[in-house]
Amino acid sequence: MLLFHQQPTQQYTERYRSNKWRKPIQPLRRFTAIFFIISLIFFSSSFLRIYRVQRPQSHFQKVGVLTEDENWKNLHEPFRDKRYPKSQRCAIQESMNAQGFSSNETSQLPTQNFAFVFGGLGAYAKLEAFKCLLAVESLVKVGGYKGDVYFITEPKACVPTQIELRKLLNYDKVYVLSKDDESKLSGESYFSNRRIKKKKKISTYLKDMSVKMDIFQFLPERIQIAAWYDCDVGFGVQDCVKNNLLCDIPAFSSKVPMYNSAGWHLGSFMVHRKYSRDLLRMWKEELFTGKHKSDYPALRAIYERQEDKNTEHRWSLGKFTNEKNGNTYSSNYEVLTSDPARGETYSSWRDVLWNKDTPNSCIMHLSMGRCSENNNGHVATDALIKTLGLSMMDKKYCSGTSRKIILMNGLSKNSCKNLPFDFIFPIRSKCVLCDKRE
């Protein structure tokens, strides 16, 4: 059997070697190979051309295209134009200072007794810490602010040291403080936590919120007025802090001890060391009763409790604008300037919800709601940061799925490294990874 199968194989091999079949087959093979190679090159190049046209642009490509759009530039480049003129007070003061004199109505800018304060706690100390850096950078580089900036955060926050941040900003009046540094700068304590009767254990979240009420305990004695901001803000008009805000510092009194933009929103507010002292103390005491989910309802509860008090001792929350006009949070062009005839003396201080179809305001709120595609969307938000010329951002401004999951579930990351793109929240390990709730 073996010989039977070997004989024809040997016969065919000998015939092939004798070149009887090989000669007519070689040209055909060569032609087929060349035709195949040419066809492959043609179809490959055609496919690549079609793919390049049809494939969707990446996120950062879309951002780049949007920032080059002329209409976008007209709306969002931070340089001053006719839509955001210098305030009348600043113009008068500048003129009088140039002539070598000033009056009580046009006093020098309050850079010595005024400070901006940013709170980088909780999520703003970890995954969202870069937003605090962007807020400070926009205040100094875009807003033109030359005074003190205090950044209160946590001991192990994902932020540069004070020395590093000053070097990055090329600005030596920014101070990075830990929330554990309370009273070290001012040398005083408004009230002891022992006086606060805790009806139940206070969460870490509420403790972080209480830093707002302790704001002056972090500041040196010379700072009499402080403007607090959560980190989801940006300053969007060149030199607007210098040419608009600082000329219109609100007037404080025992009857108006605090100012904010709208309603009971306290992501931004302004307080006075003397006139706000009692209110800040009552606010913290109310927060630490444990009855309220956040600082907003705690302050409102104190206000509503005044109904039984003598009207002479009642206090009210000052507004940067006349809320009856309904333009504090809107896309209307009127939000950009003040109208003193309508009681809008301090409108420049409004924390306006940023709108991609509206020219920049001085202070723009960049909340997660602004990131929704129904509002501005991820691409437009990152395009704004790029257009403002801000540099301290190593990720997308708007939270992706992985960041949202961690923020919503209170995960604490010891590392400051960015999350992997394909991060999946380990549901079964939640209790191990989450902060221990008090």
Side-chain angles (χ1 to χ4, degrees), residues 67-232:
T67 55
E68 294 301 320
D69 181 79
E70 287 302 319
N71 184 55
W72 174 270
K73 290 181 180 181
N74 291 334
L75 288 174
H76 301 300
E77 283 189 340
F79 306 106
R80 180 173 302 281
D81 59 24
K82 63 182 180 180
R83 289 177 299 225
Y84 203 90
K86 183 180 297 186
S87 81
Q88 293 181 1
R89 290 187 182 185
C90 281
I92 295 172
Q93 177 176 301
E94 185 178 277
S95 176
M96 297 188 73
N97 289 341
Q99 297 175 31
F101 64 90
S102 62
S103 67
N104 292 334
E105 294 181 356
T106 58
S107 59
Q108 297 293 323
L109 297 182
T111 55
Q112 297 301 315
N113 67 351
F114 176 86
F116 279 91
V117 182
F118 293 89
L121 304 166
Y124 288 128
K126 293 292 183 180
L127 298 177
E128 307 293 281
F130 72 95
K131 294 184 178 180
C132 301
L133 305 181
L134 289 173
V136 175
E137 183 182 11
S138 67
L139 171 67
V140 174
K141 292 186 177 180
V142 180
Y145 180 62
K146 302 300 182 184
D148 291 345
V149 185
Y150 293 87
F151 175 31
I152 305 174
T153 186
E154 297 178 1
K156 296 182 179 180
C158 301
V159 298
T161 64
Q162 180 172 291
I163 294 175
E164 292 170 341
L165 185 56
R166 288 181 174 186
K167 186 175 181 180
L168 288 170
L169 293 172
N170 192 26
Y171 188 73
D172 62 358
K173 293 184 179 180
V174 58
Y175 303 89
V176 179
L177 307 175
S178 167
K179 64 179 181 180
D180 297 337
D181 292 336
E182 182 180 329
S183 301
K184 289 183 181 178
L185 283 179
S186 64
E188 65 176 48
S189 179
Y190 274 15
F191 52 93
S192 171
N193 289 341
R194 295 177 182 177
R195 291 177 53 187
I196 301 174
K197 297 179 180 179
K198 299 180 181 179
K199 295 187 177 180
K200 61 180 181 179
K201 290 184 178 180
I202 305 302
S203 67
T204 301
Y205 173 74
L206 292 184
K207 288 181 180 179
D208 287 345
M209 290 294 100
S210 71
V211 171
K212 294 181 179 180
M213 300 116 206
D214 293 334
I215 185 170
F216 285 110
Q217 297 183 41
F218 293 91
L219 308 179
E221 185 68 28
R222 63 180 173 81
I223 302 297
Q224 296 295 304
I225 301 173
W228 170 282
Y229 284 91
D230 290 345
C231 290
D232 55 348

Side-chain angles (χ1 to χ4, degrees), residues 150-421:
Y150 293 87
F151 175 31
I152 305 174
T153 186
E154 297 178 1
K156 296 182 179 180
C158 301
V159 298
T161 64
Q162 180 172 291
I163 294 175
E164 292 170 341
L165 185 56
R166 288 181 174 186
K167 186 175 181 180
L168 288 170
L169 293 172
N170 192 26
Y171 188 73
D172 62 358
K173 293 184 179 180
V174 58
Y175 303 89
V176 179
L177 307 175
S178 167
K179 64 179 181 180
D180 297 337
D181 292 336
E182 182 180 329
S183 301
K184 289 183 181 178
L185 283 179
S186 64
E188 65 176 48
S189 179
Y190 274 15
F191 52 93
S192 171
N193 289 341
R194 295 177 182 177
R195 291 177 53 187
I196 301 174
K197 297 179 180 179
K198 299 180 181 179
K199 295 187 177 180
K200 61 180 181 179
K201 290 184 178 180
I202 305 302
S203 67
T204 301
Y205 173 74
L206 292 184
K207 288 181 180 179
D208 287 345
M209 290 294 100
S210 71
V211 171
K212 294 181 179 180
M213 300 116 206
D214 293 334
I215 185 170
F216 285 110
Q217 297 183 41
F218 293 91
L219 308 179
E221 185 68 28
R222 63 180 173 81
I223 302 297
Q224 296 295 304
I225 301 173
W228 170 282
Y229 284 91
D230 290 345
C231 290
D232 55 348
V233 296
F235 293 79
V237 177
Q238 196 68 41
D239 294 334
C240 65
V241 176
K242 178 178 67 175
N243 292 330
N244 293 80
L245 302 190
L246 295 183
C247 300
D248 290 325
I249 299 293
F252 289 89
S253 68
S254 57
K255 292 187 177 181
V256 187
M258 178 187 287
Y259 283 82
N260 76 333
S261 283
W264 293 99
H265 176 262
L266 296 168
S268 62
F269 61 87
M270 193 181 298
V271 285
H272 191 282
R273 183 179 290 272
K274 175 183 176 182
Y275 295 113
S276 308
R277 179 179 182 131
D278 291 340
L279 177 59
L280 292 173
R281 173 182 56 78
M282 292 187 294
W283 188 13
K284 185 173 181 179
E285 289 177 352
E286 183 66 26
L287 181 71
F288 275 26
T289 61
K291 297 178 181 179
H292 310 286
K293 293 183 179 180
S294 73
D295 52 342
Y296 298 17
L299 185 64
R300 185 170 185 173
I302 300 171
Y303 176 80
E304 293 176 347
R305 205 176 294 148
Q306 297 182 113
E307 295 181 357
D308 298 331
K309 293 185 178 181
N310 189 316
T311 54
E312 295 182 1
H313 300 288
R314 289 176 63 89
W315 59 271
S316 61
L317 198 60
K319 303 298 179 184
F320 292 135
T321 184
N322 186 350
E323 287 190 295
K324 293 181 180 179
N325 296 323
N327 64 346
T328 300
Y329 284 150
S330 77
S331 59
N332 193 306
Y333 279 65
E334 292 179 356
V335 302
L336 302 180
T337 56
S338 303
D339 183 357
R342 298 190 298 181
E344 295 187 338
T345 309
Y346 311 120
S347 292
S348 297
W349 284 97
R350 281 181 289 198
D351 181 357
V352 178
L353 287 175
W354 176 62
N355 188 300
K356 66 181 179 182
D357 299 319
T358 302
N360 290 359
S361 186
C362 186
I363 309 170
M364 301 184 296
H365 200 66
L366 304 175
S367 66
M368 288 307 300
R370 300 291 89 200
C371 289
S372 167
E373 296 301 327
N374 294 329
N375 293 314
N376 298 312
H378 292 213
V379 171
T381 304
D382 279 357
L384 174 69
I385 302 300
K386 185 175 180 179
T387 303
L388 293 178
L390 305 181
S391 60
M392 289 191 287
M393 183 169 72
D394 58 356
K395 55 176 73 68
K396 297 178 182 178
Y397 189 92
C398 299
S399 298
T401 303
S402 56
R403 261 164 63 198
K404 284 181 181 177
I405 291 174
I406 287 186
L407 295 174
M408 291 175 64
N409 287 276
L411 267 178
S412 175
K413 280 180 62 64
N414 294 324
S415 173
C416 290
K417 294 181 180 179
N418 291 340
L419 294 170
F421 179 76

